[in-house]
């Protein structure tokens, strides 16, 4: 049974530099890194010391608040650095990879005969549990809770994002094993959303509620789909997981091996030959960035897509949840008139300031300039045009800024994650950091209400 979801509000940002659907094997990285910022709200407790030898899939640390939740090494090698910040807070772990890799062997799990508790224990012990996120709060799911439903989005609408239909080819067995396991963890449904016009390996799986989605970005964001399928009310929670992470879980269940493989889309106008690379979580970005050639020296590497990704150095490391790396020109000029100068070479949701609406199929070569400076919110009505959730975006942002817990609850903060506000941030002439505001609001709500 499938249901159609048609999103009308939103904005497609058509950029130059989409990855060609061909995959090369990335050069093996010498060093792999686990960035603790990827695990929001987790307090790590180390299980191994600097200088220790570890196998691929061996636990490096656990979650202080849930001790059975383990975080594991993507490769075998030596833990060469534990980078710490203020108050000795752990920031990054770096592993020097062995030339010959060895894996920690787990038992295979017969999902059909396993209980929910056995599945949870297996996923925590193997290091796969952190792939499962929860809403509210957009954090790693608490295994002691039960979600009313689980959501998977296999429809990508973010600019230059990796195409799930392409990267999941041939992975039906792993996907089915993971879906069968997750289905035992909720009394509700496992909702899977695919593109209406695409051919997704997920579409033919058993045990799912299939939704065919169409429309502009953010139609592909799981938050948009939750809002249209089964919105979150106070006291409820749902879990989410990305399709490539399903593959890692499925392979673990079928083979007993933790294989954190990523097929990454290297995209953007600063890449001469954008394409896909087969690599692993935590790899050095440089192992595939230069293989496709780069245009010029002054470009920015973004870990993720241009709307939600984080700035990375050219010798940085692939984020734990990322399967897109984008390289675009670094903006180094200042537009004197800021946002109120009519311009032809920039995309916009408003007809007042640019003429990009005359050429909806044109692809744009954007740089990182913000074209303006921070100022108080300007009431333009643009947020509502690109925000398809049944929520008032401006009011929710202001409630988060004022730290009004009652308003934050009533206006729907339980439903959203920072990425749901990436488009409103993009079109905001005030240049306010919407995603950061929402993140801080979620943290406050979790701290005060739990």
């Amino acid at each position: 049974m499938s249901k159609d979801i048609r999103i009308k509000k939103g904005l497609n940002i058509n950029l130059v530099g989409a990855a060609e659907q061909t995959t090369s094997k990335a050069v093996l990285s010498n060093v792999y890194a686990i960035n603790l910022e990827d695990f929001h709200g987790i307090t790590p407790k180390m299980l191994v010391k600097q200088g220790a030898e570890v196998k691929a899939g061996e636990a490096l640390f656990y979650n202080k608040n849930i001790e059975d939740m383990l975080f594991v090494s993507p490769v075998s090698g030596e833990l060469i650095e534990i980078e710490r910040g203020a108050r000795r807070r752990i920031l990054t772990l770096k592993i020097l990879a062995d030339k010959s890799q060895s894996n920690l062997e787990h038992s295979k799990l017969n999902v059909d005969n396993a209980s929910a508790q056995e599945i949870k224990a297996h996923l925590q012990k193997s290091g796969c549990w952190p792939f499962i996120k929860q809403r509210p709060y957009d954090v790693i799911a608490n295994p002691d809770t039960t979600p009313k439903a689980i959501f998977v989005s296999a429809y990508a609408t973010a600019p230059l994002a990796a195409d799930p239909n392409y990267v999941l080819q041939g992975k039906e067995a792993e996907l089915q094993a993971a879906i069968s396991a997750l289905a035992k963890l909720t009394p509700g449904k496992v909702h899977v959303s695919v593109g209406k016009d695409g051919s997704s390996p997920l579409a033919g799986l058993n045990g799912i509620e299939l939704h065919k989605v169409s429309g502009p970005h953010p139609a592909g964001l799981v938050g948009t789909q939750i809002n249209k399928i089964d919105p979150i009310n106070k006291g409820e929670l749902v879990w989410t997981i990305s399709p490539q992470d399903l593959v890692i879980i499925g392979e673990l269940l079928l083979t007993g091996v933790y294989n954190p493989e990523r097929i990454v889309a290297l995209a953007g106008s600063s890449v001469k030959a954008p394409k896909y690379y087969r690599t692993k979580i935590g790899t050095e970005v440089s192992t595939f960035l230069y293989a496709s050639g780069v245009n010029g020296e002054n470009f920015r590497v973004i870990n993720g897509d241009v709307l939600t990704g984080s700035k990375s150095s050219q010798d940085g490391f692939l984020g734990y949840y990322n399967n897109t790396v984008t390289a675009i020109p670094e903006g180094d000029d200042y537009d004197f008139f800021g946002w109120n100068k009519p311009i032809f070479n920039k995309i916009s949701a408003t007809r007042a300031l640019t003429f990009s609406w005359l050429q909806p199929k044109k692809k744009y070569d954007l740089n990182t300039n913000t074209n303006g400076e921070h100022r108080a919110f300007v009431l333009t009505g643009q947020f509502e045009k690109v925000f398809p959730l049944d929520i008032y975006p401006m009011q929710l942002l202001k409630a988060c800024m004022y730290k009004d817990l009652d308003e934050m609850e009533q206006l729907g903060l339980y439903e959203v994650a920072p990425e749901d506000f990436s488009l409103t941030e993009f079109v905001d002439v005030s240049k306010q950091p919407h995603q950061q505001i929402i993140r801080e609001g979620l943290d406050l709500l979790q701290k005060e209400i739990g």
Side-chain angles (χ1 to χ4, degrees), residues 236-397:
E236 297 178 335
L237 62 89
V238 302
W239 290 352
T240 67
I241 185 168
S242 77
Q244 279 212 55
D245 298 337
L246 281 177
V247 173
I248 297 174
I249 289 176
E251 186 169 346
L252 172 89
L253 295 170
L254 294 173
T255 68
V257 174
Y258 173 80
N259 177 21
E261 186 176 272
R262 280 272 184 267
I263 298 179
V264 176
L266 175 63
S269 59
S270 291
V271 182
K272 287 183 178 177
K275 59 186 292 190
Y276 289 80
Y277 286 90
R278 188 182 305 275
T279 185
K280 288 185 178 180
I281 288 172
T283 185
E284 294 167 291
V285 171
S286 59
T287 56
F288 54 85
L289 175 63
Y290 301 107
S292 289
V294 291
N295 298 312
E297 296 180 2
N298 194 22
F299 60 90
R300 179 180 297 189
V301 177
I302 300 169
N303 227 322
D305 67 70
V306 294
L307 292 177
T308 63
S310 58
K311 182 178 179 181
S312 170
S313 65
Q314 294 174 24
D315 56 357
F317 300 88
L318 180 67
Y320 187 82
Y321 296 100
N322 292 341
N323 62 359
T324 302
V325 170
T326 317
I328 60 174
E330 186 71 76
D332 54 8
D333 61 314
Y334 179 74
D335 286 338
F336 183 71
F337 292 104
W339 55 269
N340 59 2
K341 180 176 66 174
I343 39 181
F344 279 98
N345 64 338
K346 290 168 186 166
I347 195 166
S348 175
T350 172
R351 298 187 176 200
L353 303 178
T354 80
F355 300 96
S356 63
W357 56 273
L358 293 170
Q359 303 160 297
K361 293 188 177 180
K362 179 181 175 182
K363 292 191 175 182
Y364 293 84
D365 184 3
L366 298 188
N367 61 28
T368 60
N369 280 335
T370 59
N371 305 305
E373 59 190 355
H374 292 286
R375 54 177 70 80
F377 275 123
V378 180
L379 294 172
T380 64
Q382 290 307 310
F383 297 174
E384 289 76 13
K385 292 179 182 178
V386 300
F387 194 79
L389 280 67
D390 299 323
I391 286 171
Y392 296 109
M394 173 73 87
Q395 289 88 332
L396 180 53
L397 286 163

Side-chain angles (χ1 to χ4, degrees), residues 88-352:
R88 292 190 54 75
R89 179 167 164 260
I90 298 172
L91 303 177
T92 310
L93 306 177
K94 294 181 180 177
I95 300 103
L96 178 65
D98 293 333
K99 297 300 181 189
S100 179
Q101 287 290 301
S102 60
N103 290 78
L104 188 69
E105 295 288 338
H106 296 279
S107 59
K108 300 176 187 179
L109 188 68
N110 186 330
V111 174
D112 293 336
N113 298 330
S115 68
Q117 278 308 117
E118 287 171 333
I119 291 169
K120 287 180 178 181
H122 196 69
L123 295 181
Q124 289 184 82
K125 182 181 178 182
S126 65
C128 283
W129 190 266
F131 293 126
I132 304 172
K133 306 284 278 292
Q134 76 166 47
R135 296 194 187 198
Y137 311 127
D138 188 38
V139 292
I140 295 172
N142 182 343
D144 295 330
T145 61
T146 301
K148 72 167 182 172
I150 297 174
F151 289 82
V152 179
S153 174
Y155 180 48
T157 53
L160 305 179
D163 180 357
N165 295 350
Y166 176 69
V167 300
L168 298 175
Q169 287 178 2
K171 297 295 184 181
E172 286 84 357
E174 290 87 348
L175 291 167
Q176 184 64 70
I179 289 289
S180 298
L182 291 175
K184 290 197 167 189
L185 305 185
T186 175
K189 296 175 179 178
V190 179
H191 296 278
V192 174
S193 298
V194 301
K196 184 178 180 181
D197 300 324
S199 177
S200 172
L202 278 158
L205 299 184
N206 297 319
I208 63 170
E209 181 88 357
L210 185 68
H211 305 273
K212 295 187 176 180
V213 185
S214 60
H217 190 63
L221 293 185
V222 72
T224 304
Q225 296 158 15
I226 293 169
N227 184 265
K228 301 305 177 188
I229 296 166
D230 189 6
I232 305 168
N233 300 309
K234 184 176 180 180
E236 297 178 335
L237 62 89
V238 302
W239 290 352
T240 67
I241 185 168
S242 77
Q244 279 212 55
D245 298 337
L246 281 177
V247 173
I248 297 174
I249 289 176
E251 186 169 346
L252 172 89
L253 295 170
L254 294 173
T255 68
V257 174
Y258 173 80
N259 177 21
E261 186 176 272
R262 280 272 184 267
I263 298 179
V264 176
L266 175 63
S269 59
S270 291
V271 182
K272 287 183 178 177
K275 59 186 292 190
Y276 289 80
Y277 286 90
R278 188 182 305 275
T279 185
K280 288 185 178 180
I281 288 172
T283 185
E284 294 167 291
V285 171
S286 59
T287 56
F288 54 85
L289 175 63
Y290 301 107
S292 289
V294 291
N295 298 312
E297 296 180 2
N298 194 22
F299 60 90
R300 179 180 297 189
V301 177
I302 300 169
N303 227 322
D305 67 70
V306 294
L307 292 177
T308 63
S310 58
K311 182 178 179 181
S312 170
S313 65
Q314 294 174 24
D315 56 357
F317 300 88
L318 180 67
Y320 187 82
Y321 296 100
N322 292 341
N323 62 359
T324 302
V325 170
T326 317
I328 60 174
E330 186 71 76
D332 54 8
D333 61 314
Y334 179 74
D335 286 338
F336 183 71
F337 292 104
W339 55 269
N340 59 2
K341 180 176 66 174
I343 39 181
F344 279 98
N345 64 338
K346 290 168 186 166
I347 195 166
S348 175
T350 172
R351 298 187 176 200

